[in-house]
Amino acid sequence: MIETRDLRKTYTMGGEQIHALDGVSLRIEDGDSVAILGPSGSGKSTLMHLVGGLDSPTSGQVVVAGQDLTSLGPAELARYRNEKVGFIFQSFYLQSHLTAVENVELPLKIRGMARRERRRIAHAKLESVGLADRVSHRPQELSGGQRQRVCVARALAGDPRFLLADEPTGNLDSKTGKEIMRLFMDLNRESGLTLIVVTHDPEIAIQTHSSIRLRDGKVEAGAGNVVHNAAGDAE
Ligand SMILES: Nc1ncnc2c1ncn2[C@@H]1O[C@H](COP(=O)(O)OP(=O)(O)OP(=O)(O)O)[C@@H](O)[C@H]1O
Ligand SMILES: [Mg+2]
C-alpha cells in the first residue's frame, strides 16, 4: 500500500511561496490502478516525484509498504527507486547511444546483475511489449510508440511493485496511446502491478479502477477521496 500523509511541497521563488502540494493525504492499495487528474500546475508531477522517491517533501510522509520514505537516506532512497518503482514519463529519456536492449538492462546493470542474466531479462521484457524484432535499434531508429514501449520494458525490467507513469501517452497519437494504456492495464490485471498514471485524457482515466483529482495542490472533494470508476469496476 502507498499512503501519503498531509504531504506538502513548497517552493520559494523570488520571495514568493508556491504550494505545489498543500496537504495531500491518500491511500492506494496494492494492485490498484489509479488515474491522477487535474489542471496544469495542480501538483500531479510533484506528487509522482515524491511517491517515487525522486524528491523529498517539505513536510508530511510517503509510506510505502509500511516504510516511511522521508526516513530513508540517499542510498536507501536510490535503492527504493531502483527496486520498487518503475517510472514512465511523457518524454522518453532513453539513452540515445544505447540500443533498445541496452536501455532496458540499464537498471539491472546499476543493481550489479551479471551481463548474461540482465540481457536475458531485457530481451524477455522487450518481447512482452511486442518489440522482440527491435532489440538492436537505437531510440532514433524507433517510432514514438515503440520508444515508449522500450520505456515500459525498462520500467518493468526490475520487477517493480508499482508503475508511476506521468502523462505516458502525451507525445503519442491516440491509437498508440491506447495501445500503451492497454499494455498497462494488462500488466495491472495479470501481474497485479499497482499502476498510477497521470493523464489529461478522460478516455485514459476511465480505464483505471479509480481516480484522484488534484486542484491547487489539494485532493479535490476532500482528503483521501478516491472516486471509483464505473468502467474500471465493470471489468
Ligand atoms: N522546481 C520547481 N520550482 C518552483 N516551482 C515549481 C517547481 N516544480 C513545480 N513547481 C510549481 O509547482 C506547481 C505544481 O507543479 P507540477 O509540475 O506538479 O504540476 P502538474 O500538475 O504536473 O502540471 P502539468 O499538468 O502542467 O504537468 C506549479 O505551479 C509549478 O509551477
Ligand atoms: Mg506534470
Side-chain angles (χ1 to χ4, degrees):
M1 191 177 68
I2 299 164
E3 201 179 348
T4 73
R5 299 180 186 151
D6 198 25
L7 200 60
R8 291 169 198 273
K9 180 74 182 179
T10 306
Y11 295 105
T12 306
M13 288 196 75
E16 198 200 336
Q17 290 205 322
I18 299 167
H19 301 287
L21 288 182
D22 199 9
V24 169
S25 300
L26 50 84
R27 263 162 176 270
I28 296 171
E29 301 293 337
D30 286 338
D32 204 354
S33 60
V34 183
I36 308 283
L37 304 162
S40 180
S42 58
K44 304 181 298 297
S45 294
T46 304
L47 178 63
M48 298 294 263
H49 292 158
L50 296 184
V51 169
L54 288 170
D55 201 357
S56 51
T58 307
S59 67
Q61 293 170 314
V62 179
V63 182
V64 179
Q67 189 171 46
D68 179 6
L69 297 191
T70 52
S71 72
L72 300 181
E76 289 169 309
L77 209 53
R79 194 164 153 198
Y80 163 77
R81 287 193 299 266
N82 182 260
E83 292 183 356
K84 302 285 195 293
V85 195
F87 290 102
I88 293 151
F89 301 98
Q90 178 173 357
S91 313
F92 308 116
Y93 297 120
L94 290 168
Q95 303 283 327
S96 59
H97 59 289
L98 298 180
T99 64
V101 73
E102 288 165 347
N103 268 286
V104 173
E105 70 179 0
L106 211 51
L108 302 175
K109 195 174 177 181
I110 290 168
R111 266 186 213 185
M113 188 183 282
R115 188 172 187 276
R116 182 190 286 264
E117 176 71 355
R118 60 179 202 249
R119 266 288 140 106
R120 187 185 64 74
I121 293 172
H123 272 113
K125 296 297 174 188
L126 281 167
E127 193 177 342
S128 76
V129 300
L131 287 178
D133 55 350
R134 291 290 184 275
V135 292
S136 302
H137 284 235
R138 290 194 166 74
Q140 62 276 17
E141 296 160 351
L142 296 167
S143 73
Q146 290 171 337
R147 278 179 219 171
Q148 195 58 304
R149 281 187 276 156
V150 174
C151 293
V152 174
R154 182 183 55 186
L156 296 174
D159 280 323
R161 293 177 67 99
F162 54 96
L163 213 54
L164 296 179
D166 194 349
E167 300 194 43
T169 64
N171 278 330
L172 304 175
D173 63 67
S174 67
K175 179 171 170 284
T176 313
K178 274 195 190 116
E179 280 168 17
I180 293 287
M181 203 50 209
R182 191 171 313 127
L183 186 62
F184 286 170
M185 294 312 295
D186 287 348
L187 286 164
N188 173 255
R189 247 190 315 268
E190 288 158 20
S191 318
L193 191 69
T194 308
L195 173 67
I196 307 175
V197 55
V198 171
T199 184
H200 278 114
D201 185 345
E203 273 203 46
I204 284 176
I206 203 170
Q207 296 178 46
T208 58
H209 176 251
S210 51
S211 49
I212 295 166
R213 192 173 286 276
L214 294 182
R215 179 174 292 275
D216 298 332
K218 295 186 172 75
V219 176
E220 216 171 46
N225 234 17
V226 174
V227 177
H228 291 277
N229 297 325
D233 285 343
E235 277 180 347

